[in-house]
Amino acid sequence: MVGKPKLYYTRGRGRMESIRWLLAAAGVEFEEEFIETKEHLEKLRNDGSLLFQQLPMVEMDGMKMVQSRAILSYIAAKYNLYGKDLKERALIDMYVEGTRDLMGMIMYLPFHPADTQEEKFALIIERGTTRYFPVYEKALKDHGHDYLVGNKLSWADIHLLEAILMAEECKPDILSAFPLLQAFKGRTSNIPTIKKFLQPGSQRKPPADEKFIAVVKELFNI
């Protein structure tokens, strides 16, 4: 019997959270090993587990996979969340990269110097409402289906919902001008596997707090 995927990362979101989301949406149970000390990280580096000496790592299907984009692509393809052909995959990739850009801005906000955070926060809201969310609103309108690509749940939809919820943590009414995205959020949040992941007690991680930020800075010499 093949074991559950095992995720190696810190206790926070970071670059692992989208992997947790994708596995959860696919209905795949997974285990986690939390890396919280430099000694633990060095052990993984020294035993050859980390191809490029970096986290996240996912142990799955007999592989020790690194690089978050490669891990996500593998999971999406394995669980039929990556479109039906190359054109659909290209669309999914484009939509995913857009949401990754926005989520990256939000993810790194707490790590910026305090005197720049207000400016960075304003940029997140501006980019979200003028560069990123209008694209997805238009895609849903032009496509005329419940999902971004084809008429089937894909990695792009899961990533977009994650981005929406992260953005709403910054500004709860950020979708006020995007009715189709509001409806999309409601639909996708109620997909049974995703709804389960959104419940308290799941393996979804909370926003970064001071303790998590301190651990990350120490662990990765930030």
Side-chain angles (χ1 to χ4, degrees):
M1 189 175 87
V2 178
K4 296 177 184 177
K6 189 170 184 179
L7 282 50
Y8 295 78
Y9 201 65
T10 65
R11 290 185 183 273
R13 290 179 179 176
R15 295 192 175 276
M16 186 63 88
E17 190 69 357
S18 292
I19 296 167
R20 297 182 185 110
W21 265 90
L22 197 56
L23 286 168
V28 180
E29 294 183 0
F30 56 88
E31 300 173 348
E32 299 189 80
E33 182 168 315
F34 297 117
I35 315 301
E36 296 184 290
T37 66
K38 285 189 173 183
E39 291 77 18
H40 196 169
L41 179 58
E42 283 306 311
K43 182 178 183 299
L44 289 176
R45 286 171 171 164
N46 292 335
D47 71 13
S49 292
L50 303 179
L51 189 62
F52 299 109
Q53 308 290 304
Q54 295 172 311
L55 297 172
M57 179 177 77
V58 174
E59 206 165 358
M60 182 177 182
D61 295 344
M63 297 184 290
K64 291 182 176 180
M65 294 189 289
V66 296
Q67 298 296 326
S68 55
R69 172 69 203 221
I71 297 167
L72 286 160
S73 296
Y74 180 84
I75 294 167
K78 179 179 174 72
Y79 294 105
N80 200 24
L81 294 165
Y82 209 177
K84 69 178 187 296
D85 55 32
L86 283 174
K87 286 187 176 181
E88 287 199 354
R89 286 193 174 196
L91 276 173
I92 289 167
D93 285 342
M94 287 191 285
Y95 291 143
V96 163
E97 289 304 310
T99 46
R100 278 169 63 90
D101 288 347
L102 179 59
M103 285 192 288
M105 294 173 70
I106 298 170
M107 186 191 313
Y108 290 117
L109 180 63
F111 296 93
H112 289 294
D115 61 350
T116 68
Q117 286 194 12
E118 187 175 338
E119 177 186 350
K120 298 292 185 183
F121 179 85
L123 184 62
I124 288 168
I125 304 306
E126 188 269 330
R127 290 281 172 83
T129 54
T130 66
R131 176 177 295 187
Y132 296 110
F133 290 145
V135 169
Y136 303 109
E137 182 81 2
K138 184 176 186 299
L140 290 168
K141 181 179 179 181
D142 292 349
H143 188 41
H145 293 298
D146 287 347
Y147 302 110
L148 287 170
V149 179
N151 193 22
K152 184 176 180 294
L153 181 72
S154 77
W155 175 20
D157 303 300
I158 298 160
H159 225 243
L160 176 56
L161 177 61
E162 183 188 359
I164 286 171
L165 296 181
M166 286 179 70
E168 287 185 333
E169 288 171 347
C170 295
K171 189 174 189 292
D173 66 346
I174 197 166
L175 288 188
S176 59
F178 305 103
L180 296 181
L181 283 179
Q182 292 176 43
F184 169 88
K185 173 193 163 188
R187 285 193 305 274
T188 49
S189 294
N190 279 295
I191 292 169
T193 52
I194 294 175
K195 187 174 183 178
K196 181 180 178 182
F197 188 60
L198 293 173
Q199 298 304 307
S202 80
Q203 288 167 290
R204 185 185 180 211
K205 301 299 180 275
D209 59 16
E210 289 183 7
K211 181 180 177 182
F212 169 68
I213 292 166
V215 168
V216 170
K217 285 182 175 180
E218 171 69 16
L219 199 59
F220 301 113
N221 297 315
I222 296 175

